[in-house]
Every structure is written in C-alpha cells, then in structure tokens.
Amino acid sequence: MDAVNPATNERIDTYEDDSPAAVEQALADAADAFESWRGVPLRERQELLASAGEVLRDRTRELATVMTREMGKPITQAESEVEKCAWVCDHYAEFADSYLASDHHPSPPEATVKTRYDPLGPVLAVMPWNYPFWQVFRFAAPSLTAGNVGLLKHASNVPGCAKAIEDVFREAGYPEGAFQSLLIPSDLVDDVLEDERVRAATLTGSGPAGRAVASTAGENLKKTVLELGGSDPFVVLDDADIDAAAETGAWARNMNGGQSCIAAKRFIVHDAVYDEFLDAFLEEVESLAVGDPMDETTEVGPQASQSLLEDLHEQVEASVDAGATVLAGGEPLDGEGAFYPPTVLTDVPEGCPADAEELFGPVASVFRVESEDAAVEKANDTRFGLGASVWTEDRDRGERVASRIDAGCTYVNQLTKSDPRVPFGGVKDSGYGRELSAAGIHEFVNRKTVWIE
C-alpha cells in the first residue's frame, strides 16, 4: 500500500500487505485474546481505555501529522480529531460501567431476573480515510471496553494511521491481540468476515461497501452496524439568524475539505431570506483559506487523492451541464496537489449529481423554497438519511420541523456532529445501527437474560 501526500501527490511511504499467513495468525491471536480479555474486570478495561486517552494526548501533534500527510486534513483539524478520540476514551472510561450494568426485571418473589451485557468476540471494523482516527476510536472505545476485541481493516490510503492506532492501544497497555490492524485489500474483507472466529462487523463508508459487508454478514448470521453516506440538508427558514446560519453553514460544508458524511451538502433556503443568506454564505465561503495543510492558518486542504478530486469535478461538471450555476469555485486549482476550492452551486436541476448524489468535497448546492412545508419536502427528497440541520429563531418551530425530517440525527441552530454523549447513526441509505453513548456500546453485546430461581 502506497501512502501518498495529496498536497503534493508524492509518495511518502510504502507498506507491505499482510500475507495470508499473517491474517490467519491475527485471527488466531484475536480469538485467543478474547478468551482472556472478556474475563478482565470491567474497571480494569476502563482504566486501560483512560490510558489510551492519555497516550493520544501525549502524542497529539505526532498523530495529527500522520493524518495530514496521508489524507490532507489541515493540521489544526487533525489535532482536534486526536483530541476528540481522547474524549471518547474519557467518556467510556467514566460511563461504561453504568452503560453495561445489568437490567433487572419483574419476577416471582423466589427469583431474580436480569439482562446481562456480555461481549460477542472479535469484531471486524472496516473504516474510511476521511476521519481516520475518530471513526476507529468511536467503534473501538466502547467495543473493547465491553470485552470484545477489534480487527481493523482501514482504508488503503491511510496505512500509517492504521498502524499508529494499533500502537496507541499497545502503548496504553492492552494485551496482545486485543486490537490489531490488518493491511489487506478490500477484496479480502469477505474472507475475514466469513471466518467463524469473527462474530460481528461494523463499517463506515460507501453504500456499495456497506451492502457488500451486510450481505456477507447476513449470509453468515453476524451482527452489523453500518454508517454510510449522506446528503444532509441544511434548512434555513424565514426567521433564521442569517449571519449565524451563513457562518456555520460555510464551515459545515467545508471543514475536512468537505469530505464528511455529515457535512451540510444541500442548503434549502426559504424564499423570504434566500438572497440575504446567499450573499452572506458566499462571503463566508470565499473567505476560507485554502492551502498547505501543514500551515496552521489553512482551513481547507486538498482532497484526499487526485482520483477523488477528479470524481468530484465530474459531478460538478455534470451538474453544470444540466443547468446549475457556479457562483464560487467550480474548477480544480492550478499547481501541485489535489486542491479543489470551496464551491457554490445554485439553480440546481432535479436529478443532477448536485441534487441526487453525495458530493464528497467542498461543493454546496443551494435551493430556493417557498415555504416551511416545501423545505421539509426537499430535505426528505433524498435516498440518504444521516443528519440534518434546521435554522430558526423559534426553538419550538425548530423542533417541530426537525421531527418531520427523515434523518438519524437533526440539529437545530447547530451543525450536524457526532458527540460521545449521544447516539449517532442514520436511516434509509445512510445505514443502520447506532454508535456512541449507551446505544453504541450495546450494539456488540449479547443481551443475555439470566433467571435465577
């Protein structure tokens, strides 16, 4: 696997794929580790997770630099990602014991009946490149603390991140085999998932990848959690704080180079404030600093690879050919690196890529609607259902509109985000299952009823 710096398109390192023998050894080690790890007292597992958080904080700049060099995330955003991983470790180090406490049920006087939350075994995690640390830790922190062991198949363009994450757990004191990275191509995922020693799988990624994992897991009767793509609506109603909506919206679309499943992608704006919002939004978008991701003043770095940039630009060109208007950006930047500028499209025709597909880069589609009902209809006019954001000065109205939008999480007067304290996940083509909070740690456990007479 070649690690390529997208800011320069230069190869920075090469990693050898794991051999079939190495994969077999990893599976055997995971199975062996689970038998002892499941018996480690929960309090000790929580203490180890707290240690992992400390390792992350001690190595923040180093780990952030690995991210930035491999996938182009601006260094300040990469540091924030490492800190967020430490936060999720802190969260489960504090709350896992309460999340996993047995639930007691009504029973006859002579009996005690409860539900225990026991681990399942080795869990395969197929993870993406866009948040190469956070996506892994939001799975690993709860799952390992519940007593499972982890096998990470990371995206092939971030092998250094995969190895660094494995090192974090090792340095924190986790036993051998508790968390391992497999450097394998995607076409070997089925073989690993079909192995009887692997008991469940989680995937964050594209719809086709999710369907493939779900199909294989289903054939083998294994639990899955899928967090797939999104085309999140950002609804601006006629009573919104326009300056706040424009400022937050520009950031919600463009942070991490726009490469986020929960980025605001479709801006659905009430006619009464459309022109005002568009002017303010354009000003915010055009003020974002694009450049070297190692420069701490950079806000938008490169796309994660040249091929991803080319795919994005094809979607923009197809949308323009269909009738969309480019008000900002719209062309790759000259020079080295996979740089695409923050882009704003209006007059977006129904069914073109900017309307119907997920644009995984810094391209905002802006739509004009005539009413609240039309805004909700447009927000739901998508096969995706991950996140949404609603902007209004009336909190009751915001909650009412949020309840009508088909999404796994909807924020009022805030950008869509993931937070260790609350469940996260989608509906429709955005997947199923939940991560984070109590819901996340309960995904990969055996909810075992125990009746004691």
Side-chain angles (χ1 to χ4, degrees):
M1 295 182 183
D2 289 333
V4 176
N5 184 342
T8 63
N9 287 332
E10 294 177 350
R11 186 178 65 185
I12 54 178
D13 212 340
T14 299
Y15 296 77
E16 291 295 327
D17 288 4
D18 287 336
S19 67
V23 174
E24 168 57 32
Q25 187 62 57
L27 290 167
D29 290 346
D32 289 344
F34 174 63
E35 291 307 316
S36 56
W37 178 244
R38 70 189 302 180
V40 172
L42 176 56
R43 174 46 55 187
E44 291 184 26
R45 296 200 297 264
Q46 288 175 275
E47 290 171 354
L48 283 170
L49 187 62
S51 296
E54 293 172 4
V55 172
L56 287 163
R57 290 190 175 93
D58 289 343
R59 298 175 58 187
T60 295
R61 184 71 179 195
E62 170 199 345
L63 298 173
T65 299
V66 175
M67 260 190 276
T68 298
R69 283 169 54 81
E70 286 197 329
M71 54 74 61
K73 188 188 304 289
I75 189 65
T76 55
Q77 295 173 41
E79 290 178 335
S80 294
E81 182 170 335
V82 177
E83 291 164 1
K84 190 171 184 178
C85 293
W87 179 24
V88 79
C89 291
D90 294 346
H91 180 81
Y92 285 104
E94 181 176 358
F95 293 106
D97 52 356
S98 60
Y99 291 157
L100 296 172
S102 296
D103 294 328
H104 289 261
H105 307 288
S107 62
E110 69 277 7
T112 297
V113 182
K114 59 185 177 181
T115 297
R116 290 174 49 90
Y117 296 99
D118 293 341
L120 296 179
V123 180
L124 174 65
V126 182
M127 292 289 126
W129 49 263
N130 58 327
Y131 285 90
F133 274 68
W134 170 243
Q135 310 278 22
V136 176
F137 272 89
R138 77 181 186 191
F139 147 73
S143 189
L144 269 62
T145 308
N148 300 300
V149 299
L151 292 161
L152 169 64
K153 189 283 181 226
H154 219 325
S156 59
N157 61 328
V158 289
C161 291
K163 301 305 290 185
I165 293 168
E166 188 178 52
D167 288 344
V168 167
F169 285 110
R170 184 178 295 110
E171 186 175 337
Y174 280 74
E176 289 295 323
F179 184 91
Q180 301 174 82
S181 289
L182 302 178
L183 296 187
I184 58 173
S186 296
D187 58 10
L188 293 184
V189 168
D190 279 356
D191 291 344
V192 174
L193 185 51
E194 289 171 349
D195 191 286
E196 64 180 7
R197 291 165 290 193
V198 174
R199 297 309 313 148
T202 181
L203 176 140
T204 298
S206 69
R211 286 183 172 86
V213 164
S215 176
T216 301
E219 290 174 359
N220 291 274
L221 296 179
K222 295 179 181 181
K223 174 70 182 290
T224 54
V225 170
L226 303 180
E227 195 266 275
L228 307 178
S231 187
D232 286 11
F234 188 98
V235 177
V236 182
L237 297 175
D238 53 320
D239 62 345
D241 181 331
I242 298 302
D243 289 340
E247 180 180 3
T248 302
W251 188 238
R253 171 64 280 202
N254 291 287
M255 67 173 158
N256 201 42
Q259 300 164 123
S260 172
C261 296
I262 55 171
K265 298 188 175 83
R266 296 178 299 127
F267 291 78
I268 300 166
V269 186
H270 194 288
D271 179 69
V273 294
Y274 179 87
D275 292 333
E276 182 185 358
F277 173 81
L278 186 57
D279 288 345
F281 183 61
L282 280 168
E283 184 177 350
E284 293 288 346
V285 166
E286 292 174 337
S287 73
L288 294 170
V290 181
D292 179 2
M294 286 302 297
D295 185 335
E296 295 196 356
T297 65
T298 292
E299 295 168 297
V300 180
Q303 300 300 278
S305 73
Q306 189 66 31
S307 63
L308 290 166
L309 178 148
E310 292 167 0
D311 291 345
L312 176 68
H313 189 50
E314 286 180 5
Q315 291 176 300
V316 171
E317 288 185 310
S319 299
V320 171
D321 289 345
T325 300
V326 178
L327 295 188
E331 292 286 344
L333 297 180
D334 292 334
E336 294 181 342
F339 288 92
Y340 204 87
T343 295
V344 177
L345 303 178
T346 59
D347 309 315
V348 177
E350 184 176 350
C352 76
D355 173 61
E357 299 175 9
E358 178 178 29
L359 271 60
F360 212 65
V363 181
S365 303
V366 185
F367 301 86
R368 185 195 297 260
V369 293
E370 295 183 353
S371 66
E372 177 184 307
D373 287 344
V376 171
E377 182 179 359
K378 185 61 182 176
N380 289 334
D381 184 22
T382 174
R383 59 191 174 89
F384 297 106
L386 190 53
S389 182
V390 178
W391 290 77
T392 170
E393 292 276 62
D394 183 336
R395 290 164 60 94
D396 291 336
R397 183 188 192 190
E399 184 171 3
R400 183 176 69 248
V401 172
S403 71
R404 299 174 63 195
I405 294 177
D406 298 329
C409 46
T410 303
Y411 286 73
V412 178
N413 299 326
Q414 180 58 271
L415 56 80
T416 305
K417 55 188 177 181
S418 56
D419 182 310
R421 298 167 293 188
V422 296
F424 177 84
V427 295
K428 301 196 290 189
D429 279 12
S430 291
Y432 53 75
R434 289 297 179 265
E435 297 177 294
L436 304 174
S437 188
I441 203 168
H442 287 163
E443 286 287 6
F444 295 117
V445 295
N446 173 17
R447 298 171 174 85
K448 181 190 295 180
T449 297
V450 178
W451 183 299
I452 305 167
E453 190 78 24

